[in-house]
Amino acid sequence: KAGVTQTPRYLIKTRGQQVTLSCSPISGHRSVSWYQQTPGQGLQFLFEYFSETQRNKGNFPGRFSGRQFSNSRSEMNVSTLELGDSALYLCASSLARDREQFFGPGTRLTVL
Amino acid sequence: DAKTTQPPSMDCAEGRAANLPCNHSTISGNEYVYWYRQIHSQGPQYIIHGLKNNETNEMASLIITEDRKSSTLILPHATLRDTAVYYCIVHASYDKVIFGPGTSLSVIP
């Protein structure tokens, strides 16, 4: 069974631009969560989607948004990029909301 | 804020058991204890989880105290490939998953 895939793996943007990251969960998994990881703040929860609905949201500004499609694939969008948005963005999927999460390799975003 | 407290770092000799402690004194009855690890620059990897009883799988054992206020992850025979940051998390199905800083385990040859 294929693991969680994230595209692109690496991305370089400039301040003020916007970016869309994509996550394909493991087949059959309905819950998708997104995390931001930086050296200073560690792993921080962004949001969780289940059955196309956002179930939880972390403490991030409205510039960070996401959605989930009917096939459970998910995207996250960051608008008006800031230098501080440079991070590893991780997606995780799970069979259900009370099950273990399986993480993708992440998208490394660099904002110049 | 994270609901768990872990030592920031630990060393373990290769071939010996690595025992990683975690305190979760405010755990609720419906929260599970999960352990993940992250090897440098990779996505975190699920290891094991439990509610009340001790659990064992091919990777590790999880020992949860009777009052559920703390737990220990045991890697029975640590190898160099077990060098990683280990995260202990308590989580209920309806709640967001909060990672703390974890324990950086170094396995020494």
Side-chain angles (χ1 to χ4, degrees), chain A residues 35 37 43 45 56-58 90 97-101 103-104, chain B residues 34 36 38 43-44 46 49 87 91 93-97 99:
Chain A
Y35 299 84
Q37 187 170 32
L43 261 168
F45 174 83
N56 276 302
K57 190 177 193 306
L90 291 157
R97 299 187 70 204
D98 61 348
R99 299 292 298 271
E100 63 273 21
Q101 295 188 328
F103 285 78
Chain B
Y34 286 83
Y36 292 83
Q38 186 174 26
Y46 165 77
H49 74 283
Y87 299 100
H91 171 58
S93 63
Y94 54 82
D95 207 359
K96 60 185 77 171
V97 177
F99 282 80

Side-chain angles (χ1 to χ4, degrees), chain A residues 17-52:
Chain A
Q17 287 187 310
Q18 77 165 23
V19 67
T20 299
L21 311 182
S22 180
C23 172
S24 292
I26 292 172
S27 177
H29 285 197
R30 297 171 62 195
S31 174
V32 174
S33 297
W34 288 89
Y35 299 84
Q36 180 196 66
Q37 187 170 32
T38 60
Q41 299 296 320
L43 261 168
Q44 292 189 284
F45 174 83
L46 277 159
F47 21 68
E48 177 208 355
Y49 287 89
F50 182 79
S51 294
E52 301 177 67

Side-chain angles (χ1 to χ4, degrees), chain A:
Chain A
K1 189 182 268 191
V4 177
T5 57
Q6 293 187 244
T7 56
R9 292 292 313 278
Y10 302 90
L11 203 49
I12 299 175
K13 292 285 188 179
T14 57
R15 279 182 299 174
Q17 287 187 310
Q18 77 165 23
V19 67
T20 299
L21 311 182
S22 180
C23 172
S24 292
I26 292 172
S27 177
H29 285 197
R30 297 171 62 195
S31 174
V32 174
S33 297
W34 288 89
Y35 299 84
Q36 180 196 66
Q37 187 170 32
T38 60
Q41 299 296 320
L43 261 168
Q44 292 189 284
F45 174 83
L46 277 159
F47 21 68
E48 177 208 355
Y49 287 89
F50 182 79
S51 294
E52 301 177 67
T53 301
Q54 187 180 91
R55 304 291 175 157
N56 276 302
K57 190 177 193 306
N59 295 325
F60 280 83
R63 299 185 297 108
F64 291 81
S65 63
R67 59 178 175 169
Q68 186 181 32
F69 302 95
S70 58
N71 62 358
S72 293
R73 193 177 69 83
S74 178
E75 290 181 347
M76 67 163 283
N77 183 278
V78 188
S79 62
T80 319
L81 283 166
E82 300 177 359
L83 296 179
D85 297 333
S86 295
L88 180 66
Y89 289 89
L90 291 157
C91 165
S93 77
S94 60
L95 199 56
R97 299 187 70 204
D98 61 348
R99 299 292 298 271
E100 63 273 21
Q101 295 188 328
F102 294 86
F103 285 78
T107 294
R108 174 76 60 186
L109 172 65
T110 301
V111 182
L112 302 176

Side-chain angles (χ1 to χ4, degrees), chain B residues 3 14 18 22 25-26 30 36-37 46-47 50 52 54 59 61 66 69 72-73 77 91-93 106-107 109:
Chain B
K3 301 177 183 178
E14 188 178 17
C22 179
S25 59
T26 61
N30 57 355
Y36 292 83
R37 73 180 182 184
Y46 165 77
I47 301 173
K52 294 181 185 177
N54 298 337
M59 288 183 67
S61 294
E66 194 169 341
K69 293 186 177 182
T72 301
L73 177 75
H77 305 286
H91 171 58
S93 63
S106 296
V107 180

Side-chain angles (χ1 to χ4, degrees), chain B residues 1 57 69 75 90:
Chain B
D1 289 343
N57 63 20
K69 293 186 177 182
L75 307 178
V90 295

Side-chain angles (χ1 to χ4, degrees), chain B residues 26-62:
Chain B
T26 61
I27 191 170
S28 301
N30 57 355
E31 288 181 317
Y32 285 76
V33 179
Y34 286 83
W35 283 84
Y36 292 83
R37 73 180 182 184
Q38 186 174 26
I39 297 170
H40 183 62
S41 295
Q42 298 181 18
Q45 176 191 24
Y46 165 77
I47 301 173
I48 199 167
H49 74 283
L51 183 64
K52 294 181 185 177
N53 300 322
N54 298 337
E55 302 287 345
T56 295
N57 63 20
E58 64 278 4
M59 288 183 67
S61 294
L62 173 60

